[in-house]
Structures are given as structure tokens and as C-alpha cells.
Amino acid sequence: MDTSMASGNPFFDDLQNKGEAIDHPQNEDIMDCESLTIPSQAAVKPNGTVSSSVRELLECPVCCNSMYPPILQCLNGHTLCSGCKPKVDNRCPTCRHELGNIRCLALEKLAASLELPCKYQSFGCNGIYPYYSKPKHEYQCSYRPYGCPYAGSECTVIGDIPHLVAHLKDDHKVDMHNGCTFNHRYVKSNPHEVENATWMLTVFSCFGQYFCLHFEAFHIGLAPVYIAFLRFMGDNNEAKNYSYSLEVGGNGRKLIWQGVPRSIRDSHRKVRDSFDGLIIQRNMALFFSGGDRKELKLRVTGRIWKEQ
């Protein structure tokens, strides 16, 4: 924080004038966010406003994120968050003086008196929350945007479900289907060359919701396998209302999987690495494919239903 920002603010003028009298705190004085006295509930309070100048005072000049205890300051009163202290080699990013371990307790107390809107306000959240309770709310806010569920690339697009459905269709050219049953055929001319390859994502619309069917080749240890699983385009608490089954087979044999779709809040990799789906060993998949077992020809069928 530049000293010019504090000009005209009695709190910071006084802080700067008395900066040399501030003692370095002992280790027992260092506290985290939970040790402050803050409201116990993040109650929604309409019409709460905080001026932009106050928000700027609580913004770290290094990472530009909101600061939380311990908020540090140099002898001249410039502040920064504790997480950025190692990044600046223990020197104030504004005046380059050594930082030490001086706490800006007054700014921490000021923050405790504030109430701010959720950062997902533009997505529909109208709540106003105490400064120190806001991060916890935002971590689980039902309005927070979803990440793109497409696993074939490191896509960084975020948004609500209608936006992501349009994005999958228009940008990733994903197959879109209506209905709660499916019958898909996966073909690969030389499956032995497939290494950690995501092959296909298909989106199904049923019960007024959207579901993503993934099919992928990867390894469990050294063993090459295929996995198919379903993800729900919504939150986990809604996903639990649905179930699905997958079936694959050939030559008189079949494998069947039944499960609950995971929310797209859980990454594709997290679901895959937890083996939460229909897993088919490569040798078994080639046996199902028939012929000379040099070409993969798998037919995966399944259905989605809503639990009563």
C-alpha cells in the first residue's frame, strides 16, 4: 500500500506517525484468521456496502488478493499479506525497507468490522458476508461457476451450466443427445498405441439436466485399461438424486457397472484416478472386440434414472 493511499485517513496517518514505536510481536502473538473474534454466522444482510478505498487498503500490493491475518507492515506502514513476504525477500515492495514481523493489528480489526458481497455476485449470489467469513462462503457458494468438463484439453472456460453446454457444443464439437439411454461404439485401429488418451465426451440431456459420458484409455500401474464413467453437470447434492448403469460385452461375456454420477465440481482426473466407473482391462476389451484382437471395437450401453 502506497503512503499516498493513506493520506487523509486519520487511522493510517496515525499509524505512519507512530510506526517507529511498534514492537515486533513474539511468536505467540502470531495468529491466524480463526483466532480473531468474528461473527459466528455468515448471515445475509442486504444493502451492506464498503467503499472502494477501504477495499484497496485490504488488497495486497503483491498478489492483489484480499489480506487476512497476519497482515504484515513495514516501519513506514506499508502492508502486504504474510503469504507474499517470502516472494519479496523480506523487503517492503513499496519502500524496500526490511519487513520484519510487524503486525498491522488496526487493519485486521478494521477488516473484522466489514461486510462484503460474494465475489460470485455476477452469477446470482446476492449475499453480504462478514469479511473473515466471506472466503468460507465463497468456497461452497452454490452460485460459483463450474469449470469446463471437457477432458481432451486444458480448457480454462468457466461459467454456469447453460453457458458450458453451449461451449461444449460450439467450441469442442461434443456430441449432444436427448434421452436417458445410450448405445455407443468405440473403435480404435491400433489400441496398443494409445497412452493416457482421452477419447470421447458425450453430453446427454434428460430429466431437465445434463450428464457427461467419458470414455478413456489410461494405466493402472503398468496395466493398460479403459474406463467409462458419467458426470453430472451440477452440484454433488443434486447428483445424488440420480443413478446410472454401464454395460460392455462380447463373445458371450459382459461387464456391468452401476453407480452415482459425480458432479463436474470433481475434476475428470479426480474421478478417473479414484476408479469410480466401469474399468475394462485391455486384454478383456480386445476379447470383447472379437476378430484378431488387433482392433478395438467396444459397444458401451447404459441408462440414467432418477432415484425416488
Side-chain angles (χ1 to χ4, degrees), residues 126-181:
N126 295 318
I128 304 294
Y129 298 89
Y131 185 85
Y132 291 130
S133 300
K134 195 167 83 83
K136 181 179 180 180
H137 160 74
E138 290 172 346
Y139 178 76
Q140 57 192 14
C141 177
S142 59
Y143 290 94
R144 69 192 189 278
Y146 298 88
C148 173
Y150 191 77
S153 64
E154 297 298 325
C155 183
T156 58
V157 170
I158 62 172
D160 58 18
I161 299 304
H163 174 77
L164 290 182
V165 170
H167 163 69
L168 289 170
K169 180 180 179 181
D170 298 336
D171 298 330
H172 293 300
K173 310 303 180 185
V174 167
D175 289 335
M176 314 292 288
H177 296 273
N178 292 317
C180 300
T181 60

Side-chain angles (χ1 to χ4, degrees), residues 53-307:
S53 59
V54 173
R55 294 193 196 187
E56 289 174 1
L57 293 177
L58 289 163
E59 185 178 280
C60 174
V62 179
C63 65
C64 297
N65 293 324
S66 297
M67 296 187 289
Y68 296 92
I71 299 175
L72 302 180
Q73 69 174 33
C74 72
L75 289 174
N76 289 325
H78 304 126
T79 58
L80 82 160
C81 71
S82 58
C84 286
K85 182 183 176 183
K87 301 176 185 177
V88 295
D89 298 324
N90 199 36
R91 293 199 170 274
C92 173
T94 303
C95 66
R96 305 306 299 165
H97 285 176
E98 188 173 349
L99 283 171
N101 291 309
I102 305 173
R103 291 277 295 279
C104 188
L105 298 176
L107 188 56
E108 291 177 7
K109 291 179 180 178
L110 173 64
S113 70
L114 302 179
E115 294 180 335
L116 298 171
C118 173
K119 70 178 181 180
Y120 301 123
Q121 190 177 49
S122 62
F123 288 94
C125 182
N126 295 318
I128 304 294
Y129 298 89
Y131 185 85
Y132 291 130
S133 300
K134 195 167 83 83
K136 181 179 180 180
H137 160 74
E138 290 172 346
Y139 178 76
Q140 57 192 14
C141 177
S142 59
Y143 290 94
R144 69 192 189 278
Y146 298 88
C148 173
Y150 191 77
S153 64
E154 297 298 325
C155 183
T156 58
V157 170
I158 62 172
D160 58 18
I161 299 304
H163 174 77
L164 290 182
V165 170
H167 163 69
L168 289 170
K169 180 180 179 181
D170 298 336
D171 298 330
H172 293 300
K173 310 303 180 185
V174 167
D175 289 335
M176 314 292 288
H177 296 273
N178 292 317
C180 300
T181 60
F182 45 88
N183 186 335
H184 279 270
R185 193 164 183 250
Y186 299 97
V187 178
K188 189 68 178 177
S189 59
N190 191 346
H192 296 281
E193 293 181 354
V194 177
E195 302 255 343
N196 297 315
T198 298
W199 283 3
M200 186 174 291
L201 172 66
T202 307
V203 175
F204 296 91
S205 173
C206 62
F207 301 110
Q209 307 287 350
Y210 291 94
F211 300 83
C212 299
L213 176 64
H214 294 263
F215 185 81
E216 178 179 350
F218 75 116
H219 287 83
I220 297 179
L222 298 176
V225 299
Y226 304 101
I227 185 171
F229 57 87
L230 200 72
R231 285 202 289 167
F232 175 73
M233 296 188 71
D235 281 332
N236 274 313
N237 59 338
E238 295 179 84
K240 294 175 182 177
N241 296 325
Y242 301 91
S243 296
Y244 74 101
S245 64
L246 297 173
E247 181 178 311
V248 63
N251 286 332
R253 282 84 168 173
K254 68 172 61 175
L255 293 175
I256 299 175
W257 165 268
Q258 180 174 322
V260 176
R262 297 275 286 273
S263 166
I264 59 171
R265 296 281 189 209
D266 292 336
S267 70
H268 150 269
R269 184 179 296 275
K270 181 178 180 180
V271 179
R272 185 198 72 183
D273 292 349
S274 65
F275 314 134
D276 193 1
L278 175 65
I279 296 177
I280 315 157
Q281 295 184 353
R282 178 183 286 172
N283 286 339
M284 180 64 72
L286 293 175
F287 175 75
F288 287 155
S289 300
D292 57 9
R293 303 178 64 172
K294 292 182 179 180
E295 184 177 38
L296 183 71
K297 295 179 180 178
L298 280 183
R299 185 174 297 279
V300 177
T301 61
R303 69 184 184 96
I304 305 166
W305 66 92
K306 190 171 184 177
E307 296 291 350

